[in-house]
Amino acid sequence: MQDNLKIPAHVAIIMDGNGRWAKAQGKPRTFGHTEGAKRVADVTRAAGELGIKYVTLYAFSTENWSRSAEEVGALMKLFRGYLKTCIKDADENNMRIRVIGDKTALDPDIRESIAYVEEHSAKYDGVTLTLAINYGGRDELTRAVRKIAESVEKGKLTASEITADTISASLDAPDIPDPDLMIRTCGEERISNFLLWELAYSELYFTDVAWPDFGPEELKKAVEAYTRRDRRFGGADE
Ligand code: FPP
């Protein structure tokens, strides 16, 4: 815990700007992703030191398949690499790792690595790092609606019994509280299909700093800005 800071329990981050960061240096976009991947461990560790319990990172969206085969391949290679090295990080930092998104479209070896990492780190109760891979908010909600419809078809649930809680419980990580703070790097001020349901009451923080330059100091700045916010949840005093 830090002096006078209000610590969000859950911080979600759109890691944007890898490509622009690389281009500004005359390097290929994939170089930006490689540097960006290095920030994942730094920022997660810093989050743990601040007392943040959950970090969710938007690593690959359902829309990202439309990028060049080279770029998609480079990102998948980075995920493969990260899923190998994160075990050590998890062991040393009491870190639980999870993945949300539609895993069925991922290569079998990546799915196996995810299953192994999730199972191996399930015992840890420090920071929970959730990677959103092949994730889209609309896709997550569509899959949730399908699950609920199946329950209705099987007679386990009636339409009138469906509440917001039913929907929350059908999402990819129903046990993780909604984000308190959502950060997007590199200037754009959009949600871009990230955690559409879960971000309903989150504070939003946008910074011009590109993801490869986003380190522990930048995270602290975001938490300082969050500390100054007066959070409202739609009550009468809003
Ligand atoms: C957006 O930046 C970033 C992505 C689409 C990929 C995020 C992936 C990483 C940070 C690396 C791998 C992550 C892990 C978990 C190992 P962009 O390249 O679209 O930025 P641009 O808008 O400047 O083009």
Side-chain angles (χ1 to χ4, degrees):
M1 278 291 290
Q2 303 281 314
D3 34 74
N4 299 324
L5 282 182
K6 189 171 75 181
I7 303 299
H10 183 178
V11 177
I13 309 182
I14 300 181
M15 307 182 285
D16 199 15
N18 296 343
R20 278 168 282 165
W21 180 88
K23 197 173 165 219
Q25 300 173 56
K27 303 243 170 69
R29 295 177 55 79
T30 49
F31 177 71
H33 295 315
T34 304
E35 284 306 301
K38 294 179 189 165
R39 297 293 87 73
V40 170
D42 306 341
V43 170
T44 310
R45 199 166 305 135
E49 283 165 13
L50 282 169
I52 294 165
K53 293 291 290 177
Y54 301 92
V55 175
T56 299
L57 301 178
Y58 205 0
F60 192 89
S61 75
T62 45
E63 291 73 32
N64 285 154
W65 295 109
S66 64
R67 298 200 173 187
S68 71
E70 187 205 353
E71 188 169 344
V72 171
L75 284 164
M76 292 300 153
K77 195 172 165 195
L78 285 171
F79 300 147
R80 283 188 173 89
Y82 181 75
L83 289 164
K84 298 252 156 3
T85 57
C86 69
I87 293 281
K88 189 166 174 274
D89 231 23
D91 290 339
E92 287 172 1
N93 297 294
N94 190 27
M95 178 172 76
R96 184 170 180 186
I97 297 161
R98 299 173 63 165
V99 173
I100 56 170
D102 181 2
K103 294 168 204 162
T104 61
L106 302 173
D107 283 349
D109 68 301
I110 296 185
R111 276 154 54 190
E112 275 164 32
S113 293
I114 291 171
Y116 176 73
V117 164
E118 286 188 324
E119 199 188 315
H120 178 85
S121 68
K123 55 184 177 281
Y124 295 132
D125 62 1
V127 183
T128 295
L129 168 64
T130 303
L131 298 174
I133 302 181
N134 191 30
Y135 175 87
R138 288 185 173 183
D139 182 63
E140 182 186 34
L141 281 165
T142 305
R143 289 184 285 105
V145 169
R146 279 198 200 118
K147 280 184 222 164
I148 295 166
E150 277 167 21
S151 293
V152 173
E153 274 178 2
K154 286 180 185 153
K156 293 182 184 164
L157 193 68
T158 65
S160 60
E161 282 166 352
I162 297 169
T163 63
D165 285 345
T166 320
I167 297 169
S168 292
S170 307
L171 298 175
D172 288 351
D175 52 320
I176 294 182
D178 289 342
D180 304 285
L181 172 65
M182 196 287 293
I183 299 170
R184 181 173 185 149
T185 60
C186 211
E188 306 292 344
E189 300 190 354
R190 289 190 290 272
I191 302 296
S192 298
N193 204 15
F194 189 39
L195 303 176
L196 292 181
W197 179 271
E198 299 89 331
L199 290 176
Y201 293 104
S202 309
E203 293 293 327
L204 308 180
Y205 175 86
F206 300 101
T207 172
D208 287 336
V209 174
W211 176 251
D213 286 333
F214 191 95
E217 274 309 304
E218 296 302 326
L219 178 69
K220 194 163 175 213
K221 276 188 212 164
V223 172
E224 281 164 358
Y226 172 81
T227 300
R228 294 191 293 271
R229 302 271 177 95
D230 182 15
R231 283 194 84 189
R232 297 288 168 86
F233 294 88
D237 56 350
E238 191 164 36

